[in-house]
mmCIF file of all heavy atoms in Angstrom:
data_model
loop_
_atom_site.group_PDB
_atom_site.id
_atom_site.type_symbol
_atom_site.label_atom_id
_atom_site.label_comp_id
_atom_site.label_asym_id
_atom_site.label_seq_id
_atom_site.Cartn_x
_atom_site.Cartn_y
_atom_site.Cartn_z
ATOM 1 N N ASP A 1 114.574 119.466 111.122
ATOM 2 C CA ASP A 1 114.512 120.350 112.254
ATOM 3 C C ASP A 1 114.566 121.834 111.753
ATOM 4 O O ASP A 1 113.771 122.696 112.298
ATOM 5 C CB ASP A 1 115.690 120.176 113.225
ATOM 6 C CG ASP A 1 115.613 118.871 114.049
ATOM 7 O OD1 ASP A 1 114.510 118.334 114.135
ATOM 8 O OD2 ASP A 1 116.530 118.551 114.635
ATOM 9 N N TYR A 2 115.392 122.110 110.805
ATOM 10 C CA TYR A 2 115.495 123.498 110.351
ATOM 11 C C TYR A 2 114.166 123.929 109.701
ATOM 12 O O TYR A 2 113.688 125.069 109.913
ATOM 13 C CB TYR A 2 116.720 123.620 109.407
ATOM 14 C CG TYR A 2 116.792 125.143 108.946
ATOM 15 C CD1 TYR A 2 117.425 126.013 109.793
ATOM 16 C CD2 TYR A 2 116.308 125.495 107.691
ATOM 17 C CE1 TYR A 2 117.432 127.316 109.311
ATOM 18 C CE2 TYR A 2 116.333 126.857 107.322
ATOM 19 C CZ TYR A 2 116.958 127.752 108.174
ATOM 20 O OH TYR A 2 116.984 129.123 107.751
ATOM 21 N N PHE A 3 113.623 123.138 108.770
ATOM 22 C CA PHE A 3 112.440 123.523 108.017
ATOM 23 C C PHE A 3 111.171 123.236 108.751
ATOM 24 O O PHE A 3 110.049 123.544 108.263
ATOM 25 C CB PHE A 3 112.420 122.911 106.633
ATOM 26 C CG PHE A 3 113.523 123.477 105.773
ATOM 27 C CD1 PHE A 3 114.568 122.678 105.337
ATOM 28 C CD2 PHE A 3 113.486 124.809 105.365
ATOM 29 C CE1 PHE A 3 115.533 123.268 104.497
ATOM 30 C CE2 PHE A 3 114.396 125.391 104.533
ATOM 31 C CZ PHE A 3 115.478 124.594 104.106
ATOM 32 N N GLY A 4 111.188 122.560 110.004
ATOM 33 C CA GLY A 4 109.985 122.292 110.702
ATOM 34 C C GLY A 4 109.102 121.290 110.073
ATOM 35 O O GLY A 4 107.868 121.334 110.186
ATOM 36 N N CYS A 5 109.679 120.254 109.434
ATOM 37 C CA CYS A 5 108.928 119.188 108.811
ATOM 38 C C CYS A 5 109.366 117.902 109.362
ATOM 39 O O CYS A 5 110.230 117.813 110.178
ATOM 40 C CB CYS A 5 109.050 119.229 107.313
ATOM 41 S SG CYS A 5 110.731 118.971 106.683
ATOM 42 N N THR A 6 108.837 116.800 108.840
ATOM 43 C CA THR A 6 109.197 115.457 109.286
ATOM 44 C C THR A 6 110.290 114.881 108.323
ATOM 45 O O THR A 6 110.303 115.253 107.168
ATOM 46 C CB THR A 6 108.071 114.544 109.336
ATOM 47 O OG1 THR A 6 107.510 114.364 108.010
ATOM 48 C CG2 THR A 6 106.926 115.072 110.291
ATOM 49 N N VAL A 7 111.015 113.918 108.792
ATOM 50 C CA VAL A 7 111.921 113.191 107.862
ATOM 51 C C VAL A 7 111.054 112.415 106.859
ATOM 52 O O VAL A 7 111.411 112.333 105.706
ATOM 53 C CB VAL A 7 112.928 112.250 108.663
ATOM 54 C CG1 VAL A 7 113.623 111.341 107.697
ATOM 55 C CG2 VAL A 7 113.837 113.144 109.485
ATOM 56 N N ASP A 8 109.890 111.883 107.334
ATOM 57 C CA ASP A 8 109.033 111.158 106.442
ATOM 58 C C ASP A 8 108.630 112.063 105.214
ATOM 59 O O ASP A 8 108.455 111.589 104.086
ATOM 60 C CB ASP A 8 107.786 110.609 107.137
ATOM 61 C CG ASP A 8 108.077 109.401 107.952
ATOM 62 O OD1 ASP A 8 109.220 108.828 107.813
ATOM 63 O OD2 ASP A 8 107.205 108.917 108.715
ATOM 64 N N PHE A 9 108.325 113.283 105.484
ATOM 65 C CA PHE A 9 107.983 114.232 104.430
ATOM 66 C C PHE A 9 109.192 114.413 103.435
ATOM 67 O O PHE A 9 108.967 114.303 102.232
ATOM 68 C CB PHE A 9 107.660 115.625 104.956
ATOM 69 C CG PHE A 9 107.507 116.686 103.980
ATOM 70 C CD1 PHE A 9 106.340 116.732 103.160
ATOM 71 C CD2 PHE A 9 108.507 117.620 103.718
ATOM 72 C CE1 PHE A 9 106.275 117.752 102.145
ATOM 73 C CE2 PHE A 9 108.369 118.604 102.726
ATOM 74 C CZ PHE A 9 107.225 118.649 101.935
ATOM 75 N N LEU A 10 110.308 114.480 103.980
ATOM 76 C CA LEU A 10 111.570 114.716 103.099
ATOM 77 C C LEU A 10 111.797 113.498 102.208
ATOM 78 O O LEU A 10 112.167 113.620 101.066
ATOM 79 C CB LEU A 10 112.800 114.967 103.937
ATOM 80 C CG LEU A 10 112.803 116.288 104.686
ATOM 81 C CD1 LEU A 10 114.022 116.391 105.574
ATOM 82 C CD2 LEU A 10 112.709 117.459 103.726
ATOM 83 N N VAL A 11 111.565 112.281 102.780
ATOM 84 C CA VAL A 11 111.875 111.085 101.983
ATOM 85 C C VAL A 11 110.656 110.556 101.157
ATOM 86 O O VAL A 11 110.742 109.506 100.512
ATOM 87 C CB VAL A 11 112.399 109.930 102.813
ATOM 88 C CG1 VAL A 11 113.763 110.348 103.445
ATOM 89 C CG2 VAL A 11 111.399 109.483 103.886
ATOM 90 N N GLY A 12 109.564 111.305 101.221
ATOM 91 C CA GLY A 12 108.402 110.919 100.381
ATOM 92 C C GLY A 12 107.419 109.972 101.034
ATOM 93 O O GLY A 12 106.523 109.505 100.376
ATOM 94 N N ARG A 13 107.565 109.696 102.334
ATOM 95 C CA ARG A 13 106.618 108.742 103.030
ATOM 96 C C ARG A 13 105.407 109.402 103.526
ATOM 97 O O ARG A 13 104.431 108.780 103.869
ATOM 98 C CB ARG A 13 107.340 108.078 104.169
ATOM 99 C CG ARG A 13 108.409 107.113 103.740
ATOM 100 C CD ARG A 13 108.960 106.352 104.837
ATOM 101 N NE ARG A 13 107.824 105.669 105.531
ATOM 102 C CZ ARG A 13 107.793 105.002 106.661
ATOM 103 N NH1 ARG A 13 108.913 104.944 107.383
ATOM 104 N NH2 ARG A 13 106.698 104.439 107.166
ATOM 105 N N ASP A 14 105.394 110.717 103.615
ATOM 106 C CA ASP A 14 104.324 111.479 104.107
ATOM 107 C C ASP A 14 104.153 112.775 103.364
ATOM 108 O O ASP A 14 105.207 113.492 103.199
ATOM 109 C CB ASP A 14 104.535 111.778 105.601
ATOM 110 C CG ASP A 14 103.329 112.449 106.265
ATOM 111 O OD1 ASP A 14 102.335 112.780 105.580
ATOM 112 O OD2 ASP A 14 103.379 112.578 107.508
ATOM 113 N N GLU A 15 103.150 113.107 102.762
ATOM 114 C CA GLU A 15 102.965 114.271 101.966
ATOM 115 C C GLU A 15 102.556 115.523 102.848
ATOM 116 O O GLU A 15 102.548 116.648 102.355
ATOM 117 C CB GLU A 15 101.906 114.108 100.892
ATOM 118 C CG GLU A 15 102.404 113.188 99.749
ATOM 119 C CD GLU A 15 103.756 113.662 99.165
ATOM 120 O OE1 GLU A 15 103.950 114.861 98.848
ATOM 121 O OE2 GLU A 15 104.653 112.854 99.099
ATOM 122 N N ASP A 16 102.333 115.261 104.200
ATOM 123 C CA ASP A 16 102.005 116.391 105.114
ATOM 124 C C ASP A 16 103.266 117.010 105.583
ATOM 125 O O ASP A 16 104.106 116.337 106.198
ATOM 126 C CB ASP A 16 101.161 115.804 106.179
ATOM 127 C CG ASP A 16 100.539 116.969 107.038
ATOM 128 O OD1 ASP A 16 100.753 118.158 106.756
ATOM 129 O OD2 ASP A 16 99.713 116.700 107.938
ATOM 130 N N TYR A 17 103.476 118.213 105.314
ATOM 131 C CA TYR A 17 104.666 118.976 105.690
ATOM 132 C C TYR A 17 104.869 119.147 107.142
ATOM 133 O O TYR A 17 105.999 119.226 107.656
ATOM 134 C CB TYR A 17 104.690 120.359 104.965
ATOM 135 C CG TYR A 17 105.759 121.280 105.330
ATOM 136 C CD1 TYR A 17 107.032 121.172 104.553
ATOM 137 C CD2 TYR A 17 105.649 122.286 106.343
ATOM 138 C CE1 TYR A 17 108.069 122.014 104.856
ATOM 139 C CE2 TYR A 17 106.749 123.041 106.594
ATOM 140 C CZ TYR A 17 107.922 123.001 105.882
ATOM 141 O OH TYR A 17 108.909 123.811 106.123
ATOM 142 N N ILE A 18 103.778 119.339 107.872
ATOM 143 C CA ILE A 18 103.884 119.722 109.265
ATOM 144 C C ILE A 18 104.360 118.639 110.188
ATOM 145 O O ILE A 18 103.879 117.473 110.071
ATOM 146 C CB ILE A 18 102.537 120.279 109.750
ATOM 147 C CG1 ILE A 18 102.041 121.420 108.862
ATOM 148 C CG2 ILE A 18 102.556 120.713 111.186
ATOM 149 C CD1 ILE A 18 102.990 122.589 108.723
ATOM 150 N N ARG A 19 105.246 118.971 111.147
ATOM 151 C CA ARG A 19 105.693 117.972 112.091
ATOM 152 C C ARG A 19 104.595 117.433 112.967
ATOM 153 O O ARG A 19 103.605 118.201 113.302
ATOM 154 C CB ARG A 19 106.799 118.662 113.036
ATOM 155 C CG ARG A 19 108.059 118.747 112.330
ATOM 156 C CD ARG A 19 109.210 119.161 113.285
ATOM 157 N NE ARG A 19 108.813 119.467 114.632
ATOM 158 C CZ ARG A 19 109.427 120.451 115.284
ATOM 159 N NH1 ARG A 19 110.337 121.131 114.736
ATOM 160 N NH2 ARG A 19 109.065 120.696 116.599
ATOM 161 N N THR A 20 104.613 116.200 113.393
ATOM 162 C CA THR A 20 103.601 115.636 114.249
ATOM 163 C C THR A 20 103.368 116.330 115.532
ATOM 164 O O THR A 20 102.195 116.484 115.860
ATOM 165 C CB THR A 20 104.047 114.111 114.608
ATOM 166 O OG1 THR A 20 104.313 113.462 113.336
ATOM 167 C CG2 THR A 20 102.922 113.443 115.297
ATOM 168 N N ASP A 21 104.344 116.878 116.160
ATOM 169 C CA ASP A 21 104.061 117.525 117.469
ATOM 170 C C ASP A 21 103.303 118.754 117.259
ATOM 171 O O ASP A 21 102.468 119.203 118.162
ATOM 172 C CB ASP A 21 105.382 117.806 118.195
ATOM 173 C CG ASP A 21 106.386 118.671 117.435
ATOM 174 O OD1 ASP A 21 106.357 118.675 116.212
ATOM 175 O OD2 ASP A 21 107.144 119.354 118.069
ATOM 176 N N ILE A 22 103.467 119.470 116.125
ATOM 177 C CA ILE A 22 102.623 120.641 115.807
ATOM 178 C C ILE A 22 101.256 120.272 115.333
ATOM 179 O O ILE A 22 100.273 120.872 115.751
ATOM 180 C CB ILE A 22 103.364 121.525 114.761
ATOM 181 C CG1 ILE A 22 104.705 121.996 115.179
ATOM 182 C CG2 ILE A 22 102.481 122.662 114.281
ATOM 183 C CD1 ILE A 22 105.601 122.702 114.128
ATOM 184 N N ARG A 23 101.214 119.130 114.596
ATOM 185 C CA ARG A 23 99.914 118.732 114.050
ATOM 186 C C ARG A 23 98.936 118.353 115.064
ATOM 187 O O ARG A 23 97.735 118.528 114.932
ATOM 188 C CB ARG A 23 100.212 117.517 113.134
ATOM 189 C CG ARG A 23 99.181 117.180 112.175
ATOM 190 C CD ARG A 23 99.438 116.007 111.320
ATOM 191 N NE ARG A 23 100.687 115.987 110.693
ATOM 192 C CZ ARG A 23 101.429 115.006 110.557
ATOM 193 N NH1 ARG A 23 100.989 113.764 110.890
ATOM 194 N NH2 ARG A 23 102.666 114.990 110.009
ATOM 195 N N ARG A 24 99.369 117.864 116.220
ATOM 196 C CA ARG A 24 98.459 117.458 117.311
ATOM 197 C C ARG A 24 97.643 118.598 117.813
ATOM 198 O O ARG A 24 96.525 118.445 118.229
ATOM 199 C CB ARG A 24 99.277 116.766 118.481
ATOM 200 C CG ARG A 24 99.608 115.385 118.202
ATOM 201 C CD ARG A 24 100.140 114.792 119.428
ATOM 202 N NE ARG A 24 101.167 113.805 119.003
ATOM 203 C CZ ARG A 24 102.409 113.783 119.477
ATOM 204 N NH1 ARG A 24 102.846 114.601 120.356
ATOM 205 N NH2 ARG A 24 103.256 112.931 118.996
ATOM 206 N N GLU A 25 98.306 119.828 117.880
ATOM 207 C CA GLU A 25 97.551 120.942 118.503
ATOM 208 C C GLU A 25 96.414 121.392 117.504
ATOM 209 O O GLU A 25 95.309 121.387 117.922
ATOM 210 C CB GLU A 25 98.571 122.113 118.698
ATOM 211 C CG GLU A 25 99.520 121.736 119.812
ATOM 212 C CD GLU A 25 100.554 122.926 119.965
ATOM 213 O OE1 GLU A 25 100.236 123.982 119.545
ATOM 214 O OE2 GLU A 25 101.564 122.564 120.521
ATOM 215 N N GLN A 26 96.734 121.732 116.352
ATOM 216 C CA GLN A 26 95.779 122.235 115.398
ATOM 217 C C GLN A 26 96.476 122.295 113.999
ATOM 218 O O GLN A 26 97.531 122.971 113.887
ATOM 219 C CB GLN A 26 95.196 123.583 115.761
ATOM 220 C CG GLN A 26 94.127 124.005 114.832
ATOM 221 C CD GLN A 26 93.593 125.355 115.328
ATOM 222 O OE1 GLN A 26 93.952 125.904 116.320
ATOM 223 N NE2 GLN A 26 92.603 125.905 114.591
ATOM 224 N N PRO A 27 95.948 121.683 112.978
ATOM 225 C CA PRO A 27 96.533 121.749 111.653
ATOM 226 C C PRO A 27 96.597 123.207 111.189
ATOM 227 O O PRO A 27 95.743 123.998 111.369
ATOM 228 C CB PRO A 27 95.659 120.894 110.766
ATOM 229 C CG PRO A 27 94.775 120.091 111.733
ATOM 230 C CD PRO A 27 94.711 120.847 112.950
ATOM 231 N N LEU A 28 97.735 123.491 110.470
ATOM 232 C CA LEU A 28 97.846 124.805 109.891
ATOM 233 C C LEU A 28 97.010 124.923 108.569
ATOM 234 O O LEU A 28 96.980 123.934 107.858
ATOM 235 C CB LEU A 28 99.245 125.153 109.586
ATOM 236 C CG LEU A 28 100.271 125.252 110.667
ATOM 237 C CD1 LEU A 28 101.677 125.473 110.185
ATOM 238 C CD2 LEU A 28 99.868 126.320 111.646
ATOM 239 N N THR A 29 96.430 126.021 108.307
ATOM 240 C CA THR A 29 95.781 126.256 107.058
ATOM 241 C C THR A 29 96.797 126.566 105.997
ATOM 242 O O THR A 29 97.959 126.876 106.321
ATOM 243 C CB THR A 29 94.811 127.515 107.208
ATOM 244 O OG1 THR A 29 95.620 128.691 107.438
ATOM 245 C CG2 THR A 29 93.823 127.311 108.312
ATOM 246 N N GLU A 30 96.372 126.546 104.789
ATOM 247 C CA GLU A 30 97.288 126.911 103.678
ATOM 248 C C GLU A 30 97.837 128.328 103.889
ATOM 249 O O GLU A 30 99.022 128.635 103.600
ATOM 250 C CB GLU A 30 96.614 126.694 102.276
ATOM 251 C CG GLU A 30 97.547 126.898 101.137
ATOM 252 C CD GLU A 30 98.696 125.916 101.144
ATOM 253 O OE1 GLU A 30 98.561 124.771 101.587
ATOM 254 O OE2 GLU A 30 99.823 126.313 100.733
ATOM 255 N N GLU A 31 96.992 129.215 104.297
ATOM 256 C CA GLU A 31 97.347 130.655 104.506
ATOM 257 C C GLU A 31 98.447 130.690 105.588
ATOM 258 O O GLU A 31 99.436 131.429 105.463
ATOM 259 C CB GLU A 31 96.189 131.431 104.858
ATOM 260 C CG GLU A 31 96.454 132.954 104.977
ATOM 261 C CD GLU A 31 95.225 133.701 105.250
ATOM 262 O OE1 GLU A 31 94.377 133.329 106.048
ATOM 263 O OE2 GLU A 31 95.068 134.838 104.670
ATOM 264 N N GLU A 32 98.280 129.934 106.672
ATOM 265 C CA GLU A 32 99.276 129.953 107.701
ATOM 266 C C GLU A 32 100.615 129.367 107.206
ATOM 267 O O GLU A 32 101.692 129.872 107.573
ATOM 268 C CB GLU A 32 98.728 129.115 108.931
ATOM 269 C CG GLU A 32 97.619 129.817 109.650
ATOM 270 C CD GLU A 32 96.927 128.949 110.636
ATOM 271 O OE1 GLU A 32 96.781 127.728 110.365
ATOM 272 O OE2 GLU A 32 96.430 129.408 111.653
ATOM 273 N N ARG A 33 100.574 128.291 106.358
ATOM 274 C CA ARG A 33 101.816 127.744 105.868
ATOM 275 C C ARG A 33 102.514 128.810 105.031
ATOM 276 O O ARG A 33 103.717 128.898 105.073
ATOM 277 C CB ARG A 33 101.465 126.527 105.083
ATOM 278 C CG ARG A 33 101.086 125.292 105.814
ATOM 279 C CD ARG A 33 100.728 124.205 104.932
ATOM 280 N NE ARG A 33 99.980 123.150 105.722
ATOM 281 C CZ ARG A 33 100.170 121.857 105.525
ATOM 282 N NH1 ARG A 33 100.869 121.410 104.517
ATOM 283 N NH2 ARG A 33 99.502 121.014 106.248
ATOM 284 N N ARG A 34 101.787 129.476 104.147
ATOM 285 C CA ARG A 34 102.411 130.569 103.337
ATOM 286 C C ARG A 34 103.019 131.670 104.206
ATOM 287 O O ARG A 34 104.048 132.157 103.859
ATOM 288 C CB ARG A 34 101.371 131.121 102.429
ATOM 289 C CG ARG A 34 100.965 130.279 101.221
ATOM 290 C CD ARG A 34 100.054 130.978 100.227
ATOM 291 N NE ARG A 34 99.012 131.509 101.037
ATOM 292 C CZ ARG A 34 97.993 132.215 100.543
ATOM 293 N NH1 ARG A 34 97.911 132.424 99.341
ATOM 294 N NH2 ARG A 34 97.031 132.631 101.368
ATOM 295 N N LEU A 35 102.328 131.962 105.328
ATOM 296 C CA LEU A 35 102.888 133.018 106.178
ATOM 297 C C LEU A 35 104.210 132.539 106.817
ATOM 298 O O LEU A 35 105.144 133.348 106.845
ATOM 299 C CB LEU A 35 101.825 133.349 107.301
ATOM 300 C CG LEU A 35 102.202 134.427 108.281
ATOM 301 C CD1 LEU A 35 102.420 135.754 107.552
ATOM 302 C CD2 LEU A 35 101.147 134.577 109.291
ATOM 303 N N ILE A 36 104.281 131.338 107.139
ATOM 304 C CA ILE A 36 105.505 130.759 107.715
ATOM 305 C C ILE A 36 106.638 130.849 106.661
ATOM 306 O O ILE A 36 107.792 131.299 106.974
ATOM 307 C CB ILE A 36 105.315 129.291 108.197
ATOM 308 C CG1 ILE A 36 104.425 129.251 109.429
ATOM 309 C CG2 ILE A 36 106.720 128.664 108.469
ATOM 310 C CD1 ILE A 36 104.003 127.934 109.919
#
């Protein structure tokens, strides 16, 4: 919740950092991730 990622990302089940609810709208670019 604090870092805006999934638990699956933290435990290594998913390499995508972005939470699912955010991912549905539009994936972030690498530049947007760096900005965050």
Side-chain angles (χ1 to χ4, degrees):
D1 286 347
Y2 182 79
F3 290 115
C5 63
T6 64
V7 172
D8 280 351
F9 170 78
L10 294 176
V11 299
R13 290 190 55 192
D14 187 354
E15 289 306 312
D16 193 355
Y17 175 86
I18 304 302
R19 285 191 351 219
T20 305
D21 59 332
I22 297 170
R23 198 181 312 144
R24 280 189 214 127
E25 292 177 19
Q26 181 179 1
L28 295 177
T29 65
E30 186 58 35
E31 185 176 41
E32 290 168 327
R33 289 177 193 214
R34 284 186 308 182
L35 184 59
I36 290 169

